[in-house]
């Protein structure tokens, strides 16, 4: 790796955090069968581990969005690159995201999904940065609060690389 990185969350910590999230979701959705919508690409590793910890029956779908310009300078408009394919009207829906920073991506996706009239809509994110928030987001399930640094690994990229790292690392930019 050409840039310097430092470990933030190891495999064991991530696994423990995800187990706790799954337990909460299992409790909250007892007797229900929510549709889980994964925001591509960053959340796919988290999603794969989270759903295998869940005991409730569930359906799965994917949405792909791109921010206009660099995500660190997002202006709040996201483009839907791939929409979901399941009809979620009247369904309980959970959006799964990798990391919330300004909140702009999640608010856009939340509003887009909400217009499809789900019965309920909640948000689950593995990571949250609190410093640069410009949009208020109600996060229902959160794994870890992380410092205001650029993180990679466990699905998160830098220039499309490093998504395959099994742990989460801080990258010195
Ligand atoms: P927001 O719209 O909340 O500012 O940013 C959310 C999106 O920006 C995330 O889905 C992710 O794609 C990207 N992002 C924000 N912070 C980081 C980070 O530290 N590392 C990586 N790899 N992506 C980030």
């Amino acid at each position: 790796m050409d840039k310097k990185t430092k470990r933030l969350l190891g495999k064991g910590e991530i696994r423990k955090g995800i187990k706790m999230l799954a337990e909460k979701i299992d409790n909250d959705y007892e007797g229900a069968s929510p549709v889980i919508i994964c925001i591509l690409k960053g959340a796919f590793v988290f999603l794969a581990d989270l759903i295998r910890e869940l005991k409730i029956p569930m359906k799965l779908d994917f949405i792909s969005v791109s921010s206009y310009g660099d995500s660190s300078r997002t202006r709040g408009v996201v483009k839907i690159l791939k929409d979901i394919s399941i009809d979620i009207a009247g369904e309980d829906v959970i959006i799964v995201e990798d990391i919330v920073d300004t909140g702009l991506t999640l608010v856009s996706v939340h509003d887009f999904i909400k217009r499809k009239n789900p019965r309920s809509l909640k948000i689950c994110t593995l990571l949250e940065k609190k410093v640069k928030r410009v949009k208020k987001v109600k996060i229902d399930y959160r794994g870890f609060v992380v410092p205001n640094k650029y993180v990679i690994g466990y699905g998160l990229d830098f220039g499309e690389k490093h998504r395959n790292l099994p742990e989460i690392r801080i990258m010195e930019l």
Side-chain angles (χ1 to χ4, degrees):
M1 204 176 296
D2 40 359
K3 303 238 185 218
K4 260 179 98 173
T5 68
K6 193 171 83 188
R7 183 157 90 175
L8 181 65
L9 295 164
K11 284 193 220 178
E13 276 169 288
I14 297 172
R15 198 177 311 124
K16 244 166 86 182
I18 289 177
K19 267 183 193 277
M20 282 167 65
L21 284 177
E23 262 172 41
K24 280 189 207 152
I25 294 173
D26 273 338
N27 277 333
D28 292 355
Y29 288 86
E30 208 187 325
S33 177
V35 180
I36 296 192
I37 299 178
C38 170
I39 305 183
L40 294 171
K41 300 176 192 169
F44 83 103
V45 177
F46 170 42
L47 172 95
D49 284 343
L50 177 72
I51 63 171
R52 285 178 292 173
E53 292 293 338
L54 289 175
K55 296 188 181 68
I56 46 163
M58 45 141 305
K59 296 176 199 161
L60 186 62
D61 211 334
F62 295 89
I63 190 166
S64 178
V65 301
S66 82
S67 308
Y68 284 110
D70 175 52
S71 64
S72 60
R73 281 179 274 117
T74 305
R75 289 202 186 90
V77 197
V78 304
K79 199 161 121 187
I80 307 294
L81 300 177
K82 183 221 163 290
D83 197 353
I84 55 170
S85 51
I86 295 179
D87 179 8
I88 57 162
E91 301 275 359
D92 295 309
V93 173
I94 306 170
I95 298 172
V96 171
E97 173 64 311
D98 52 358
I99 185 163
V100 184
D101 187 9
T102 62
L104 292 166
T105 305
L106 209 38
V107 164
S108 298
V109 173
H110 180 275
D111 292 352
F112 178 79
I113 296 292
K114 183 124 192 158
R115 288 199 290 275
K116 296 178 187 284
N117 299 314
R119 188 165 76 131
S120 68
L121 182 54
K122 286 193 181 180
I123 287 174
C124 173
T125 185
L126 177 64
L127 308 176
E128 178 183 8
K129 287 189 209 169
K130 292 192 173 229
V131 178
K132 288 198 284 180
R133 190 67 41 83
V134 298
K135 286 266 184 184
K136 214 169 160 209
V137 190
K138 186 179 177 291
I139 297 172
D140 301 283
Y141 307 101
R142 181 196 62 215
F144 305 89
V145 174
V146 296
N148 187 29
K149 305 262 186 194
Y150 198 82
V151 295
I152 55 163
Y154 200 72
L156 289 140
D157 75 315
F158 177 70
E160 290 301 330
K161 287 192 203 154
H162 314 305
R163 294 193 197 275
N164 56 319
L165 285 176
E167 55 186 24
I168 295 173
R169 302 187 71 85
I170 291 175
M171 178 169 256
E172 314 283 348
L173 293 175

